[in-house]
Amino acid sequence: MSTETTALKKTKSIWAGGFSPFNVSYGKLMMWIFLLSDAFTFSSLLVAYGTIRFSHPSPPHGQVVIEGQTIKPLGHVPEKFVELLGETKNTEGITYFSKQHWPSPELVFNHFPGLHGLHLPLFFVSLMTFILIFSSVTMVLAVEAGHRMDQNSVRKYMFYTILGGLAFLSCQAWEWTQFITEGASLHGNPFGPTAFAALFFIVTGFHGFHVFSGVVLNFIIYLNTINGTYAKRGHYEMIEKVGLYWHFVDLVWVFVFTFFYLI
Amino acid sequence: MSHDHSHEAHGHAHVHHHEENFITKYVFSQDHKMIAKQFLITGIVMGVLGMLMSMVFRLQLGFPDMDMAFLKPFLGKWISVDDTTGFGKLDPNFYLALITIHGTIMVFFVLTAGLSGTFSNLLIPLQCGARDMASPFLNMLSYWFFFLSSLVMFCSLFVEDGPASPGWTVYPPLSALPKALPGSGTGMTLWLISMIFFIVSALLGGMNYITTVLNMRTKGMKMSRMPLTIWAFLLTAVLGLLSFPVLFGGSLLLVMDRSFGTSFYLSDIPVELTGGIERTGGSPVLFQHLFWFLGHPEVYIILMPALGITSEVIATNSRKPIFGYRAMIISLLGIAFLSFIVWAHHMFITGMNPFLGSVFMVTTLIIAVPSAVKTFNYLTTLWRGNIQFTPAMMFAIGLVSFFIAGGLTGIFLGNAALDINLHDTYFVVAHFHIVMGSAAIFGMFSGIYHWFPKLFRRHMNKAAGYVHFWLTFISAYGVFFPMHFIGLAGVPRRYYANTAYESFDVWMDVNQFITICALLGGLAQVIFLINFFYSIRKGRKSEQNPWKSNTLEWTAPVEHLHGNWPGEIPTVYRWPYDYSNPNYTEDFVPQNVPHEGQTDENQEFEHPHPTT
Ligand code: HEM
Ligand SMILES: [Cu+2]
């Protein structure tokens, strides 16, 4: 008799109320739902990017001459490209950027702090991506340490995660500063259509704001860990919840990166 | 084991009793029943505001030569009074502001927050068998963000240049260039701020509703035993959660265009309007896509809770099981899914690719199928039922009537070829007011009359309820039905006056008729308001289960307890529509009554067939 009812429960009770069908706490479920919703916010921005990006012609390959267009020598940039492309001289009428064409991201984002005058396409942003992914790894380790109730390891890994987040934000600040000193703004862009710069600032800015919020959250739970709040509570679920958010921010970056730097 | 775990979470609310003061009990309350009342009262206040606005512009449309000087004390400089004759006229720009704020308030503040906010909050914990929402704190925040949003919208009425005026859809470039219209300035900025708060509120609420429904149901409350109200609220919350963020993204870009010189939505703007910056390269159609990706699901966010309420009220008051319970759920799911892939039917004339237009036309027409399933199931539930014509039931039947009448014109508008003629005419105004405005408002009234005893422990006056129903029903058709004809004749919407055009001016008498009906409808709402507020204090005391209903909220005591049930939460043994079951002497069997021989709440017994 009793075995019969337990068998019944096992097969039928998943959605039958009384406990969570997903076997997660409401807090974690709510975080998942929030992230799903936030994914739609980012999608709307990326759709806007796609729409505007593809209403402009793609960046020209190699060297192009656009008639009637006065070339703005962009500091040292054109000369350098000329070298790279094996040209002998920088003639009038050769341009790599135009108001009509969407700029080629490799030519726009080719700087690296401390290394002046080198053409390093997307090196810096790859480093940023690496940092963020690395901080996701340390977050996984923190969650895992939480399962073991190992307060010291949780503290250590949370500290690395926060460092990673701050490093990413600093890199972003440098990247923005560089772009702005070259003349980009919300309503101006020396490398091509204005929308390129505006979209860049909005989308990476919105993502950066998420990273910033994540760092704040990480910091709060770091303090709580130090104070032993979770040890007293008996579980480190809070780390898992914030961890979900942090991985999400990381995942979104992969998309932002793909859209802005690769498409 | 697992059961214990969740009940620990449920029980928490009523275990430690902390002293409540006025602030925590009535203002920053975390009790879902109090939050429901807060949403309801705020919704009603906003509704009155929206209605008063419609009275003003209806007067303007019906009697364009009327002396409006008497409105001067209320509208101030928006009524320009001739010094010598003392004759007052409504400012044309203010007309645009009025329809914009009217639309925004009705759609978002009354029928989204006011309707879902009230009934999801009241019924989700009570009908699922939970002590409160998953996160009472976020639930409280949800209300206060909504309040803040309402406050900002209200304050925008007093801005020097007037509130936002580009229509409730706020299409750029009107909304993006502060110099485009007087109402495109500060008023528009406040509109956007208000909407951003609103979206935050909707997301906080929605997260809570979904989590509560999925995670906090009592023992035996399977998804396949949930009342249709809960299904409707669940899917409404899902729609909101997936579509509001897109409006958020869209609004963010609009804010940038307005205030920070970007051109996401702007292209080829004349120099006088640009503010000295090059404004080009963007696309106003992009905004429309982002807006309607929210906008269409939004109409179902408005309608679905009303449909859920109607299912409940019609089944209870027909004393019959709802016809086709599963079909009702499947059609709700179908509507929820389809509502995400029809948005461009609002954009047939934007110059989008005609092939794309025909794709959206097909998806739009397919929505008619689940909608028809719902309609027929309402009718078959009513069919040969032992109908109790309570005021709630009258309004529920009224909803079915509007849903049919408005649904039919939806099929006209869904056809791209017809919509090219009908777009932006009064035909559209007629369509959406009937199918979304009137139907949802009737669902809301139905819910208020039905659950008033649960909210306020008293009954509303029945006779006043009937008068309210008939006056509202007649005047709603009186207002919106003739608009079809005006629209077919080509009279455009959002025009301050039609007198300058011969072919529109001929409809003057019909417009007068509409305005008189609208005033009558307004009067009916006064009866409602008096009844509502009077009954809160003085209404007849309610017993625990006044409608002899099956759902769990009626197993909770009349007094409001923090935690809803004094002892254990009831266990559910059956579906919620066991009315007139021939095996029982009573004509209703509440969900917490076990079947004969049922040893376990998970055992399924066959639902009785609808009585014949
Ligand atoms: C009190 C009864 C109501 C009356 C007399 C009324 C009347 C009107 C009229 C005449 C217009 C068109 C104005 C124009 O285009 O020139 C309008 C616009 C509108 N109404 Fe209502 N309405 C009422 C209730 C509602 C309700 C309950 C809703 C909720 C859905 C609603 C939503 C809207 C919307 C969305 C617009 C479009 C605003 C725009 O063009 O941006 N109205 N109303
Ligand atoms: Cu639509």
Side-chain angles (χ1 to χ4, degrees), chain B residues 13 18-39 117 121-122 131-133 135-145 147 208-209 455 457 560-564:
Chain B
H18 32 115
E19 274 305 304
E20 293 203 282
N21 54 29
F22 181 80
I23 302 276
T24 55
K25 181 142 184 240
Y26 294 106
V27 185
F28 296 107
S29 169
Q30 298 193 15
D31 185 297
H32 70 102
K33 300 178 288 297
M34 181 56 71
I35 296 177
K37 289 190 225 175
Q38 292 173 327
F39 268 109
N121 264 307
L122 177 71
R131 299 258 180 230
D132 204 313
M133 283 289 175
S135 170
F137 177 72
L138 290 186
N139 207 26
M140 174 196 77
L141 278 189
S142 160
Y143 172 74
W144 285 101
F145 270 105
F147 182 81
N208 242 322
Y209 305 155
L455 280 163
R457 295 171 253 165
H560 283 179
L561 303 178
H562 201 163
N564 295 339

Short mmCIF file of all heavy atoms in Angstrom, two decimals, chain B residues 13 18-39 117 121-122 131-133 135-145 147 208-209 455 457 560-564:
data_model
loop_
_atom_site.label_atom_id
_atom_site.label_comp_id
_atom_site.label_asym_id
_atom_site.label_seq_id
_atom_site.Cartn_x
_atom_site.Cartn_y
_atom_site.Cartn_z
N ALA B 13 5.54 33.18 6.63
CA ALA B 13 4.81 34.44 6.73
C ALA B 13 3.97 34.51 7.99
O ALA B 13 3.86 35.57 8.59
CB ALA B 13 3.94 34.62 5.51
N HIS B 18 4.81 40.00 13.65
CA HIS B 18 5.37 41.25 14.15
C HIS B 18 4.26 42.29 14.16
O HIS B 18 3.35 42.26 13.36
CB HIS B 18 6.57 41.70 13.30
CG HIS B 18 6.46 41.33 11.87
ND1 HIS B 18 6.36 42.23 10.85
CD2 HIS B 18 6.41 40.11 11.29
CE1 HIS B 18 6.25 41.60 9.71
NE2 HIS B 18 6.29 40.32 9.93
N GLU B 19 4.38 43.19 15.08
CA GLU B 19 3.38 44.24 15.20
C GLU B 19 3.35 45.07 13.93
O GLU B 19 4.39 45.42 13.39
CB GLU B 19 3.73 45.15 16.40
CG GLU B 19 3.21 44.64 17.73
CD GLU B 19 1.71 44.39 17.71
OE1 GLU B 19 0.97 45.33 17.40
OE2 GLU B 19 1.28 43.26 18.01
N GLU B 20 2.15 45.36 13.42
CA GLU B 20 2.08 46.16 12.21
C GLU B 20 1.58 47.55 12.56
O GLU B 20 0.64 47.70 13.32
CB GLU B 20 1.11 45.52 11.24
CG GLU B 20 1.63 44.21 10.76
CD GLU B 20 0.98 43.85 9.44
OE1 GLU B 20 -0.16 43.40 9.44
OE2 GLU B 20 1.64 44.08 8.42
N ASN B 21 2.23 48.54 12.01
CA ASN B 21 1.71 49.89 12.20
C ASN B 21 1.04 50.35 10.92
O ASN B 21 0.97 49.61 9.93
CB ASN B 21 2.83 50.84 12.62
CG ASN B 21 3.97 50.80 11.64
OD1 ASN B 21 3.75 50.53 10.46
ND2 ASN B 21 5.17 51.06 12.11
N PHE B 22 0.54 51.55 10.92
CA PHE B 22 -0.20 52.06 9.77
C PHE B 22 0.62 51.96 8.50
O PHE B 22 0.14 51.52 7.45
CB PHE B 22 -0.62 53.51 10.03
CG PHE B 22 -1.41 54.09 8.90
CD1 PHE B 22 -2.76 53.83 8.78
CD2 PHE B 22 -0.79 54.89 7.96
CE1 PHE B 22 -3.49 54.35 7.72
CE2 PHE B 22 -1.51 55.43 6.91
CZ PHE B 22 -2.86 55.15 6.80
N ILE B 23 1.90 52.36 8.60
CA ILE B 23 2.74 52.38 7.41
C ILE B 23 2.93 50.99 6.82
O ILE B 23 2.75 50.78 5.63
CB ILE B 23 4.13 52.99 7.75
CG1 ILE B 23 3.98 54.41 8.31
CG2 ILE B 23 5.05 52.96 6.55
CD1 ILE B 23 3.87 55.48 7.27
N THR B 24 3.26 50.01 7.66
CA THR B 24 3.51 48.69 7.09
C THR B 24 2.21 48.00 6.71
O THR B 24 2.20 47.09 5.91
CB THR B 24 4.28 47.78 8.06
OG1 THR B 24 3.56 47.73 9.28
CG2 THR B 24 5.68 48.28 8.30
N LYS B 25 1.10 48.42 7.29
CA LYS B 25 -0.14 47.72 6.99
C LYS B 25 -0.83 48.30 5.76
O LYS B 25 -1.35 47.57 4.93
CB LYS B 25 -1.07 47.80 8.20
CG LYS B 25 -2.38 47.09 7.99
CD LYS B 25 -2.85 46.38 9.24
CE LYS B 25 -4.11 45.59 8.96
NZ LYS B 25 -5.22 46.02 9.78
N TYR B 26 -0.85 49.61 5.64
CA TYR B 26 -1.63 50.21 4.55
C TYR B 26 -0.76 50.83 3.46
O TYR B 26 -1.19 50.99 2.34
CB TYR B 26 -2.58 51.27 5.09
CG TYR B 26 -3.64 50.69 5.97
CD1 TYR B 26 -3.59 50.85 7.35
CD2 TYR B 26 -4.68 49.95 5.42
CE1 TYR B 26 -4.56 50.29 8.17
CE2 TYR B 26 -5.65 49.39 6.22
CZ TYR B 26 -5.59 49.57 7.59
OH TYR B 26 -6.55 49.00 8.37
N VAL B 27 0.44 51.25 3.80
CA VAL B 27 1.24 51.95 2.79
C VAL B 27 2.26 51.00 2.18
O VAL B 27 2.09 50.52 1.06
CB VAL B 27 1.92 53.19 3.38
CG1 VAL B 27 2.64 53.95 2.28
CG2 VAL B 27 0.87 54.09 4.04
N PHE B 28 3.30 50.68 2.91
CA PHE B 28 4.29 49.76 2.36
C PHE B 28 3.95 48.34 2.77
O PHE B 28 4.75 47.63 3.35
CB PHE B 28 5.70 50.18 2.78
CG PHE B 28 6.09 51.51 2.23
CD1 PHE B 28 6.17 52.63 3.04
CD2 PHE B 28 6.33 51.65 0.87
CE1 PHE B 28 6.51 53.86 2.51
CE2 PHE B 28 6.66 52.89 0.33
CZ PHE B 28 6.75 53.99 1.16
N SER B 29 2.73 47.96 2.43
CA SER B 29 2.29 46.64 2.82
C SER B 29 2.94 45.60 1.93
O SER B 29 3.19 45.84 0.76
CB SER B 29 0.78 46.55 2.66
OG SER B 29 0.38 45.22 2.80
N GLN B 30 3.21 44.43 2.51
CA GLN B 30 3.75 43.35 1.70
C GLN B 30 2.74 42.22 1.59
O GLN B 30 3.05 41.14 1.13
CB GLN B 30 5.05 42.82 2.31
CG GLN B 30 6.12 43.89 2.36
CD GLN B 30 7.49 43.31 2.67
OE1 GLN B 30 7.71 42.12 2.59
NE2 GLN B 30 8.41 44.18 3.02
N ASP B 31 1.51 42.49 2.01
CA ASP B 31 0.48 41.46 1.94
C ASP B 31 -0.20 41.55 0.58
O ASP B 31 -0.66 42.62 0.17
CB ASP B 31 -0.54 41.69 3.05
CG ASP B 31 -1.56 40.57 3.10
OD1 ASP B 31 -2.30 40.40 2.10
OD2 ASP B 31 -1.61 39.87 4.12
N HIS B 32 -0.29 40.43 -0.10
CA HIS B 32 -0.79 40.49 -1.48
C HIS B 32 -2.21 41.03 -1.57
O HIS B 32 -2.56 41.68 -2.54
CB HIS B 32 -0.69 39.09 -2.13
CG HIS B 32 -1.66 38.09 -1.59
ND1 HIS B 32 -2.79 37.74 -2.24
CD2 HIS B 32 -1.67 37.38 -0.43
CE1 HIS B 32 -3.46 36.85 -1.54
NE2 HIS B 32 -2.79 36.62 -0.42
N LYS B 33 -3.01 40.80 -0.52
CA LYS B 33 -4.40 41.28 -0.59
C LYS B 33 -4.46 42.80 -0.50
O LYS B 33 -5.24 43.45 -1.20
CB LYS B 33 -5.22 40.64 0.54
CG LYS B 33 -5.24 39.13 0.47
CD LYS B 33 -5.99 38.47 1.60
CE LYS B 33 -5.30 38.51 2.95
NZ LYS B 33 -4.01 37.79 3.02
N MET B 34 -3.59 43.35 0.35
CA MET B 34 -3.54 44.81 0.45
C MET B 34 -2.97 45.41 -0.83
O MET B 34 -3.46 46.42 -1.34
CB MET B 34 -2.70 45.20 1.67
CG MET B 34 -2.59 46.70 1.91
SD MET B 34 -4.20 47.50 2.08
CE MET B 34 -4.72 46.87 3.66
N ILE B 35 -1.94 44.76 -1.39
CA ILE B 35 -1.35 45.29 -2.62
C ILE B 35 -2.39 45.25 -3.75
O ILE B 35 -2.47 46.16 -4.57
CB ILE B 35 -0.07 44.50 -2.98
CG1 ILE B 35 0.97 44.73 -1.88
CG2 ILE B 35 0.48 44.92 -4.32
CD1 ILE B 35 2.24 43.95 -2.06
N ALA B 36 -3.20 44.20 -3.75
CA ALA B 36 -4.26 44.12 -4.76
C ALA B 36 -5.18 45.33 -4.65
O ALA B 36 -5.54 45.96 -5.64
CB ALA B 36 -5.05 42.83 -4.58
N LYS B 37 -5.53 45.69 -3.41
CA LYS B 37 -6.43 46.84 -3.23
C LYS B 37 -5.74 48.12 -3.67
O LYS B 37 -6.38 49.00 -4.27
CB LYS B 37 -6.83 46.97 -1.76
CG LYS B 37 -7.79 45.89 -1.31
CD LYS B 37 -8.31 46.25 0.06
CE LYS B 37 -8.28 45.04 0.97
NZ LYS B 37 -8.66 45.36 2.34
N GLN B 38 -4.45 48.22 -3.38
CA GLN B 38 -3.73 49.43 -3.79
C GLN B 38 -3.75 49.56 -5.31
O GLN B 38 -4.01 50.64 -5.86
CB GLN B 38 -2.29 49.38 -3.29
CG GLN B 38 -2.18 49.49 -1.77
CD GLN B 38 -0.75 49.27 -1.29
OE1 GLN B 38 0.01 48.50 -1.85
NE2 GLN B 38 -0.38 49.96 -0.22
N PHE B 39 -3.50 48.44 -6.00
CA PHE B 39 -3.54 48.48 -7.47
C PHE B 39 -4.94 48.87 -7.94
O PHE B 39 -5.09 49.68 -8.86
CB PHE B 39 -3.18 47.11 -8.05
CG PHE B 39 -1.72 46.94 -8.36
CD1 PHE B 39 -0.91 46.12 -7.60
CD2 PHE B 39 -1.14 47.60 -9.43
CE1 PHE B 39 0.44 45.95 -7.89
CE2 PHE B 39 0.21 47.44 -9.74
CZ PHE B 39 0.99 46.61 -8.97
N GLY B 117 -2.69 43.78 -12.10
CA GLY B 117 -2.13 44.04 -10.78
C GLY B 117 -3.11 43.67 -9.70
O GLY B 117 -2.76 43.03 -8.71
N ASN B 121 -2.64 39.73 -8.12
CA ASN B 121 -2.21 39.79 -6.73
C ASN B 121 -3.22 39.16 -5.80
O ASN B 121 -2.86 38.43 -4.88
CB ASN B 121 -2.02 41.25 -6.32
CG ASN B 121 -0.58 41.65 -6.43
OD1 ASN B 121 0.30 40.99 -5.90
ND2 ASN B 121 -0.32 42.70 -7.17
N LEU B 122 -4.48 39.43 -6.04
CA LEU B 122 -5.48 38.88 -5.13
C LEU B 122 -5.57 37.36 -5.29
O LEU B 122 -5.56 36.62 -4.32
CB LEU B 122 -6.85 39.50 -5.43
CG LEU B 122 -7.98 38.94 -4.57
CD1 LEU B 122 -7.82 39.40 -3.14
CD2 LEU B 122 -9.34 39.33 -5.11
N ARG B 131 0.64 31.10 0.82
CA ARG B 131 0.45 32.06 1.91
C ARG B 131 0.59 33.49 1.41
O ARG B 131 0.01 34.42 1.96
CB ARG B 131 1.48 31.82 3.00
CG ARG B 131 1.37 30.45 3.61
CD ARG B 131 0.68 30.51 4.96
NE ARG B 131 0.59 29.18 5.55
CZ ARG B 131 -0.55 28.68 6.03
NH1 ARG B 131 -1.66 29.36 6.00
NH2 ARG B 131 -0.56 27.48 6.55
N ASP B 132 1.43 33.67 0.41
CA ASP B 132 1.58 35.01 -0.18
C ASP B 132 2.33 34.83 -1.49
O ASP B 132 2.54 33.70 -1.93
CB ASP B 132 2.35 35.95 0.77
CG ASP B 132 2.01 37.41 0.48
OD1 ASP B 132 2.01 37.80 -0.70
OD2 ASP B 132 1.72 38.16 1.44
N MET B 133 2.73 35.93 -2.12
CA MET B 133 3.55 35.84 -3.31
C MET B 133 4.92 35.26 -2.96
O MET B 133 5.35 35.32 -1.81
CB MET B 133 3.76 37.23 -3.89
CG MET B 133 2.57 37.74 -4.62
SD MET B 133 2.39 36.82 -6.14
CE MET B 133 0.86 37.53 -6.68
N SER B 135 7.84 36.53 -3.56
CA SER B 135 8.60 37.57 -2.89
C SER B 135 7.71 38.76 -2.57
O SER B 135 7.51 39.62 -3.40
CB SER B 135 9.77 38.02 -3.76
OG SER B 135 10.34 39.17 -3.18
N PRO B 136 7.17 38.78 -1.36
CA PRO B 136 6.28 39.90 -1.00
C PRO B 136 6.99 41.25 -1.11
O PRO B 136 6.35 42.25 -1.44
CB PRO B 136 5.92 39.60 0.45
CG PRO B 136 6.16 38.15 0.62
CD PRO B 136 7.28 37.80 -0.30
N PHE B 137 8.28 41.25 -0.89
CA PHE B 137 9.00 42.52 -0.94
C PHE B 137 9.03 43.08 -2.36
O PHE B 137 8.69 44.24 -2.61
CB PHE B 137 10.41 42.34 -0.40
CG PHE B 137 11.24 43.59 -0.49
CD1 PHE B 137 10.97 44.66 0.35
CD2 PHE B 137 12.24 43.71 -1.43
CE1 PHE B 137 11.71 45.83 0.25
CE2 PHE B 137 13.00 44.86 -1.53
CZ PHE B 137 12.73 45.93 -0.68
N LEU B 138 9.41 42.23 -3.33
CA LEU B 138 9.41 42.70 -4.72
C LEU B 138 8.00 43.08 -5.16
O LEU B 138 7.80 43.97 -5.97
CB LEU B 138 9.96 41.61 -5.64
CG LEU B 138 11.45 41.31 -5.52
CD1 LEU B 138 11.87 40.34 -6.60
CD2 LEU B 138 12.27 42.59 -5.62
N ASN B 139 7.03 42.37 -4.59
CA ASN B 139 5.65 42.67 -4.92
C ASN B 139 5.28 44.08 -4.47
O ASN B 139 4.62 44.83 -5.20
CB ASN B 139 4.77 41.64 -4.22
CG ASN B 139 3.49 41.40 -4.94
OD1 ASN B 139 3.42 41.60 -6.14
ND2 ASN B 139 2.48 41.00 -4.22
N MET B 140 5.74 44.43 -3.30
CA MET B 140 5.50 45.79 -2.79
C MET B 140 6.20 46.80 -3.70
O MET B 140 5.62 47.81 -4.09
CB MET B 140 6.01 45.91 -1.38
CG MET B 140 5.92 47.31 -0.83
SD MET B 140 6.92 47.54 0.63
CE MET B 140 8.54 47.68 -0.07
N LEU B 141 7.45 46.48 -4.06
CA LEU B 141 8.18 47.40 -4.95
C LEU B 141 7.42 47.57 -6.26
O LEU B 141 7.35 48.67 -6.81
CB LEU B 141 9.56 46.84 -5.27
CG LEU B 141 10.65 47.07 -4.26
CD1 LEU B 141 11.99 46.65 -4.86
CD2 LEU B 141 10.72 48.54 -3.88
N SER B 142 6.86 46.49 -6.75
CA SER B 142 6.12 46.55 -8.00
C SER B 142 5.00 47.59 -7.91
O SER B 142 4.82 48.42 -8.80
CB SER B 142 5.56 45.18 -8.33
OG SER B 142 4.51 45.27 -9.23
N TYR B 143 4.27 47.55 -6.80
CA TYR B 143 3.22 48.56 -6.66
C TYR B 143 3.81 49.96 -6.61
O TYR B 143 3.32 50.89 -7.26
CB TYR B 143 2.33 48.32 -5.43
CG TYR B 143 1.40 49.51 -5.25
CD1 TYR B 143 0.32 49.67 -6.10
CD2 TYR B 143 1.67 50.50 -4.33
CE1 TYR B 143 -0.49 50.79 -6.03
CE2 TYR B 143 0.87 51.63 -4.24
CZ TYR B 143 -0.21 51.76 -5.09
OH TYR B 143 -1.00 52.88 -5.03
N TRP B 144 4.88 50.13 -5.85
CA TRP B 144 5.37 51.50 -5.67
C TRP B 144 6.01 52.06 -6.93
O TRP B 144 5.97 53.27 -7.17
CB TRP B 144 6.24 51.62 -4.41
CG TRP B 144 5.31 51.61 -3.23
CD1 TRP B 144 5.05 50.56 -2.40
CD2 TRP B 144 4.43 52.67 -2.82
NE1 TRP B 144 4.07 50.91 -1.49
CE2 TRP B 144 3.67 52.20 -1.73
CE3 TRP B 144 4.20 53.98 -3.28
CZ2 TRP B 144 2.71 52.98 -1.08
CZ3 TRP B 144 3.25 54.75 -2.63
CH2 TRP B 144 2.53 54.25 -1.56
N PHE B 145 6.59 51.19 -7.74
CA PHE B 145 7.06 51.69 -9.04
C PHE B 145 5.87 52.13 -9.90
O PHE B 145 5.93 53.12 -10.61
CB PHE B 145 7.88 50.63 -9.77
CG PHE B 145 9.35 50.71 -9.45
CD1 PHE B 145 9.95 49.78 -8.62
CD2 PHE B 145 10.12 51.73 -9.98
CE1 PHE B 145 11.30 49.87 -8.32
CE2 PHE B 145 11.46 51.83 -9.69
CZ PHE B 145 12.05 50.89 -8.85
N PHE B 147 3.08 53.22 -8.77
CA PHE B 147 2.59 54.47 -8.19
C PHE B 147 3.44 55.65 -8.68
O PHE B 147 2.92 56.68 -9.10
CB PHE B 147 2.62 54.38 -6.67
CG PHE B 147 2.08 55.61 -6.00
CD1 PHE B 147 0.72 55.78 -5.86
CD2 PHE B 147 2.94 56.59 -5.53
CE1 PHE B 147 0.21 56.93 -5.26
CE2 PHE B 147 2.44 57.74 -4.93
CZ PHE B 147 1.08 57.90 -4.80
N ASN B 208 7.19 37.77 -10.08
CA ASN B 208 6.54 37.22 -8.90
C ASN B 208 5.38 36.31 -9.27
O ASN B 208 5.22 35.23 -8.72
CB ASN B 208 5.99 38.38 -8.08
CG ASN B 208 6.63 38.42 -6.72
OD1 ASN B 208 6.87 37.39 -6.14
ND2 ASN B 208 6.90 39.60 -6.24
N TYR B 209 4.54 36.78 -10.20
CA TYR B 209 3.35 35.98 -10.55
C TYR B 209 3.78 34.63 -11.10
O TYR B 209 3.27 33.58 -10.69
CB TYR B 209 2.48 36.69 -11.60
CG TYR B 209 2.05 38.10 -11.22
CD1 TYR B 209 1.74 39.04 -12.20
CD2 TYR B 209 1.94 38.49 -9.90
CE1 TYR B 209 1.35 40.32 -11.88
CE2 TYR B 209 1.55 39.77 -9.57
CZ TYR B 209 1.26 40.69 -10.57
OH TYR B 209 0.88 41.96 -10.25
N LEU B 455 -12.30 40.99 -1.47
CA LEU B 455 -11.43 42.14 -1.25
C LEU B 455 -11.83 42.92 -0.01
O LEU B 455 -10.99 43.31 0.79
CB LEU B 455 -11.50 43.08 -2.46
CG LEU B 455 -10.67 42.73 -3.70
CD1 LEU B 455 -11.18 43.51 -4.89
CD2 LEU B 455 -9.20 43.04 -3.47
N ARG B 457 -14.76 42.19 2.06
CA ARG B 457 -15.60 41.45 3.01
C ARG B 457 -17.06 41.89 2.98
O ARG B 457 -17.82 41.63 3.87
CB ARG B 457 -15.07 41.59 4.44
CG ARG B 457 -13.73 40.94 4.62
CD ARG B 457 -13.14 41.28 5.94
NE ARG B 457 -12.07 42.22 5.81
CZ ARG B 457 -11.56 42.90 6.83
NH1 ARG B 457 -12.06 42.78 8.04
NH2 ARG B 457 -10.55 43.73 6.64
N HIS B 560 -9.30 39.00 6.72
CA HIS B 560 -8.01 38.88 6.04
C HIS B 560 -6.93 38.50 7.04
O HIS B 560 -6.67 39.23 7.98
CB HIS B 560 -7.63 40.20 5.36
CG HIS B 560 -8.40 40.39 4.11
ND1 HIS B 560 -8.27 41.51 3.33
CD2 HIS B 560 -9.30 39.61 3.49
CE1 HIS B 560 -9.08 41.40 2.28
NE2 HIS B 560 -9.71 40.26 2.37
N LEU B 561 -6.34 37.34 6.83
CA LEU B 561 -5.24 36.93 7.69
C LEU B 561 -3.96 37.10 6.90
O LEU B 561 -3.92 36.84 5.71
CB LEU B 561 -5.37 35.46 8.06
CG LEU B 561 -6.65 35.05 8.74
CD1 LEU B 561 -6.62 33.55 8.99
CD2 LEU B 561 -6.78 35.80 10.06
N HIS B 562 -2.92 37.47 7.61
CA HIS B 562 -1.61 37.46 6.98
C HIS B 562 -1.22 35.99 6.86
O HIS B 562 -1.00 35.32 7.86
CB HIS B 562 -0.62 38.23 7.85
CG HIS B 562 0.57 38.68 7.08
ND1 HIS B 562 1.42 39.65 7.52
CD2 HIS B 562 1.02 38.30 5.87
CE1 HIS B 562 2.34 39.84 6.62
NE2 HIS B 562 2.13 39.04 5.61
N GLY B 563 -1.20 35.45 5.64
CA GLY B 563 -0.96 34.03 5.49
C GLY B 563 -2.19 33.29 5.01
O GLY B 563 -2.14 32.09 4.76
N ASN B 564 -3.28 34.00 4.87
CA ASN B 564 -4.51 33.54 4.22
C ASN B 564 -5.33 32.47 4.94
O ASN B 564 -6.52 32.64 5.12
CB ASN B 564 -4.24 33.07 2.79
CG ASN B 564 -3.78 34.22 1.92
OD1 ASN B 564 -4.04 35.38 2.25
ND2 ASN B 564 -3.11 33.92 0.84
#
